[in-house]
Amino acid sequence: MLKIRSKDAKHDTEVIALVSLAHASSHFYHLVIPSLFPWLMPAFGLDYIDAGLPVTAFFIVSAFCQSASGFLVEKYGAKVVLYGGLTSLALSSFVLGSAQSYAWIVAAGILAGIGNSVFHPTDFCLISASVSKNWLGHAFAWHGITGNLGWAICPLFMVSIASTLGWRTAAYAASSVALLILALELWGRNLFRPLDVSEPPTANPTKKNTAFGFLTEETVWLCFMFFFFTSFGFGVLQSFSPTIFGKIYGLSLAQASSALTSYMIGSGIGGILGGFIVSQDRLSRDKVVAWALTFSAVNAALLASQIPASFFVSPIMFLMGFGVGVANPSRDVLIRESTISKLGNKYLGRVYGFVYCGMDVGQSLSPIVFGAILDRGLFATALAGVAVCQTCAIFTALRVGGSSKEPQPASHSSEKA
């Protein structure tokens, strides 16, 4: 393995910190509006359907715009698009804080969705271009971990400010978060290197003569479906785990919520380990993903069986999250290697933009589909659905690995920035 000089390690660490911080802001803004529901609903006379519409708009807009942002990354450079996304997030919370009617809240959700759409194409292109190969696994690991931290911090941040200073102040404070991160990204802009857009010998230029020629690659669709299945399953836990565990295991709201927290903690710890695992070149990326998700699926099925005592719900959720966390860095490197081997670095932006749409689509549909299942009282079935989704993701990961050729090494040279 190539020994990295301390200067290179310092550079890689700084890049990882900046990109991960930006990703944390993306997940932070997932929950800005939901965190203020207790104040927004009485202030504007909203019911639960009204309150949920801005959140639905957020994910729908993000899904549609994410593919477009991949093309923008290729044309204008990842840094410029990242700055635009952070600006849109800041504007969304400013509009929310200034809201005079329900339409303003919906507009805030749309603006936040536009801002959210840029992060996966920009982040992964910046990582691919600016981080040494030896550190790629750690970069992808911390990218995922900080996303979870963004989810964890937002409700505490928003509720504590809204409780003391009012919901409008909380919204303006959220806007300042994006502006602060934007300032840091601008400060560190010279740390980001250009992306090598040369084509590897394995790339097929015939398929790239049109803007959407990359969609003819089976691997692209497999990656899309992988993200769809994983986010579709996670959406059940994120939206309904307190209800499910309360009905099946008799847990209180606090106990059921702590089970979801255990999942997040497990995912973070698993992500750190996954970063070290993916750095071992002798290990097959797709098999790491498959074994890790199999571990998570078995634990999901165990919960669905209702065999464990209620005391074991949080530890089992921790193990589920741990498996997913271990899989995530290998997943992201697998997609990168597959894209480069098939299409070249030049098309990383649009591929990342498209495949991560699967995540937004899955999170958008999960509450609807599983909500209908829960309305019928099939709480154990919903948990079994998590295991099924993870199993489907296993087969797509193995298929991606099987269809990918040996990646060509990427060097750091000429992206427009």
Side-chain angles (χ1 to χ4, degrees):
M1 183 177 289
L2 179 66
K3 185 177 180 180
I4 303 176
R5 300 190 305 269
S6 59
K7 180 180 178 182
D8 295 327
K10 180 177 182 294
H11 170 268
D12 289 342
T13 301
E14 291 172 342
V15 170
I16 292 170
L18 284 174
V19 174
S20 297
L21 184 63
H23 188 229
S25 72
S26 165
H27 284 239
F28 180 94
Y29 276 85
H30 286 188
L31 298 178
V32 164
I33 293 177
S35 296
L36 295 180
F37 280 165
W39 291 271
L40 294 175
M41 292 177 70
F44 293 93
L46 309 180
D47 58 24
Y48 285 102
I49 295 177
D50 294 332
L53 180 59
V55 179
T56 300
F58 175 100
F59 283 110
I60 291 175
V61 170
S62 179
F64 277 102
C65 291
Q66 195 158 191
S67 287
S69 67
F71 286 91
L72 293 176
V73 165
E74 293 173 8
K75 184 172 183 179
Y76 298 107
K79 291 190 294 186
V80 173
V81 179
L82 177 63
Y83 303 153
L86 287 167
T87 301
S88 185
L89 290 181
L91 182 59
S92 72
S93 286
F94 182 82
V95 170
L96 179 64
S98 305
Q100 300 301 313
S101 67
Y102 176 61
W104 289 54
I105 302 174
V106 176
I110 292 172
L111 286 169
I114 293 172
N116 182 71
S117 70
V118 311
F119 286 93
H120 287 121
T122 60
D123 291 356
F124 288 127
C125 284
L126 290 172
I127 288 173
S128 292
S130 305
V131 175
S132 304
K133 180 181 177 181
N134 304 57
W135 282 68
L136 278 176
H138 301 292
F140 287 125
W142 281 105
H143 183 267
I145 291 167
T146 52
N148 287 341
L149 287 175
W151 275 333
I153 292 171
C154 181
L156 178 63
F157 179 91
M158 298 299 293
V159 170
S160 61
I161 296 177
S163 299
T164 55
L165 301 175
W167 66 268
R168 292 187 186 274
T169 302
Y172 291 137
S175 181
S176 69
V177 169
L179 292 176
L180 176 60
I181 294 175
L182 175 60
L184 291 172
E185 300 296 332
L186 289 168
W187 172 79
R189 65 189 181 279
N190 292 329
L191 291 169
F192 298 121
R193 293 168 176 163
L195 188 68
D196 178 12
V197 296
S198 61
E199 295 178 0
T202 54
N204 184 352
T206 303
K207 293 188 176 184
K208 297 180 291 184
N209 291 333
T210 63
F212 297 97
F214 71 100
L215 293 178
T216 61
E217 285 287 352
E218 178 191 24
T219 303
V220 172
W221 287 99
L222 288 170
C223 292
F224 176 94
M225 293 308 300
F226 178 90
F227 282 111
F228 172 81
F229 286 128
T230 53
S231 65
F232 192 70
F234 175 69
V236 184
L237 301 175
Q238 188 177 44
S239 300
F240 302 119
S241 59
T243 300
I244 292 172
F245 294 138
K247 294 291 185 179
I248 294 180
Y249 289 98
L251 299 185
S252 66
L253 180 60
Q255 291 171 327
S257 297
S258 69
L260 183 58
T261 301
S262 295
Y263 179 98
M264 294 296 189
I265 294 172
S267 180
I269 295 174
I272 295 174
L273 177 60
F276 286 98
I277 291 175
V278 78
S279 299
Q280 306 300 312
D281 290 334
R282 70 180 186 277
L283 297 177
S284 174
R285 319 291 190 213
D286 55 330
K287 289 183 173 59
V288 170
V289 173
W291 281 110
L293 289 185
T294 297
F295 179 76
S296 291
V298 168
N299 280 283
L302 182 60
L303 282 178
S305 73
Q306 306 180 54
I307 294 174
S310 60
F311 172 80
F312 291 103
V313 171
S314 285
I316 293 174
M317 283 287 283
F318 175 90
L319 294 175
M320 283 178 61
F322 181 80
V324 171
V326 169
N328 285 345
S330 291
R331 170 203 71 186
D332 293 328
V333 172
L334 177 64
I335 293 172
R336 175 183 182 274
E337 291 177 345
S338 177
T339 300
I340 291 173
S341 69
K342 295 284 187 177
L343 300 168
N345 278 336
K346 183 178 180 180
Y347 293 86
L348 275 177
R350 69 186 68 182
V351 170
Y352 273 127
F354 178 76
V355 300
Y356 270 91
C357 284
M359 183 175 289
D360 286 332
V361 174
Q363 284 188 299
S364 298
L365 295 179
S366 182
I368 298 172
V369 175
F370 283 99
I373 292 174
L374 295 178
D375 283 340
R376 290 169 172 78
L378 303 174
F379 300 102
T381 301
L383 280 178
V386 177
V388 171
C389 289
Q390 290 174 335
T391 302
C392 291
I394 291 167
F395 289 109
T396 58
L398 289 173
R399 180 63 181 165
V400 170
S403 64
S404 300
K405 297 179 181 179
E406 185 68 24
Q408 303 297 316
S411 59
H412 303 304
S413 53
S414 67
E415 179 199 30
K416 282 193 272 183

